[in-house]
Amino acid sequence: MKSYIQILGTGTVDVAPSVLVHFDDQRYLFNCGEGTQRFCLQNKIKISKVKKIFLTRIHWECFGGLPGMLLTMADAGSQEIKLFGGTNLTHALTATRGFILRHVNFPSNAYYAYDFPVH
C-alpha cells in the first residue's frame, strides 16, 4: 500500500493551510480554505480522486474554498463526496448554496464530528 501526505498550503496570504492524504487510489482532503482549488489546478494535483473532505472547524479559513472546490470536482467527473465537520456544517453549506447552485447530479453527504471532553 502506497501512502503519503501532501501539504497544499501553509497559511500564506493566498492559500490557507490544507493537507491532502494519499492512499493508493483514494484521497482525503483536510480543510479547504480559500485558494486551495486554484493551488491544486496550478500544481496539477488531481482532485477528482478526493472522496472525503474533513473540516477541522467551520470557519472561513478552513471552509472558504469548499464551494469552488465542489464545483471543480463536479466538472472533473466526481460522482460523490462526503463532507465531515462540526455541527454547523449544514448551515455553512446552505449559506453558500446561492453561489454554487447548479443543476448537476452530484450527491454530497454531510457528517458531524462532535467534540468530546478531554480529561
Side-chain angles (χ1 to χ4, degrees):
M1 174 162 86
K2 181 180 176 183
S3 62
Y4 61 95
I5 295 174
Q6 188 171 15
I7 307 298
L8 300 181
T10 57
T12 60
V13 175
D14 51 333
V15 181
S18 299
V19 175
L20 184 63
V21 179
H22 298 255
F23 284 108
D24 290 331
D25 62 341
Q26 296 182 14
R27 308 286 185 270
Y28 303 102
L29 180 63
F30 289 84
N31 291 331
C32 187
E34 192 68 44
T36 305
Q37 166 201 2
R38 180 183 43 79
F39 181 85
C40 290
L41 292 174
Q42 287 177 342
N43 293 288
K44 298 180 180 162
I45 298 170
K46 290 187 178 183
I47 56 174
S48 60
K49 291 187 177 183
V50 173
K51 303 295 180 211
K52 296 178 183 174
I53 298 176
F54 298 88
L55 303 171
T56 56
R57 58 194 170 119
I58 307 304
H59 185 272
W60 194 252
E61 182 179 77
C62 302
F63 176 86
L66 189 61
M69 182 69 80
L70 291 174
L71 289 172
T72 300
M73 292 173 74
D75 290 343
S78 294
Q79 296 298 313
E80 181 179 359
I81 188 76
K82 292 183 180 179
L83 305 171
F84 297 85
T87 55
N88 289 326
L89 178 58
T90 301
H91 297 294
L93 289 172
T94 302
T96 64
R97 187 173 38 193
F99 300 105
I100 62 172
L101 184 62
R102 251 196 209 176
H103 298 289
V104 293
N105 187 14
F106 187 70
S108 62
N109 297 314
Y111 299 91
Y112 300 108
Y114 296 100
D115 293 331
F116 294 100
V118 178
H119 299 284

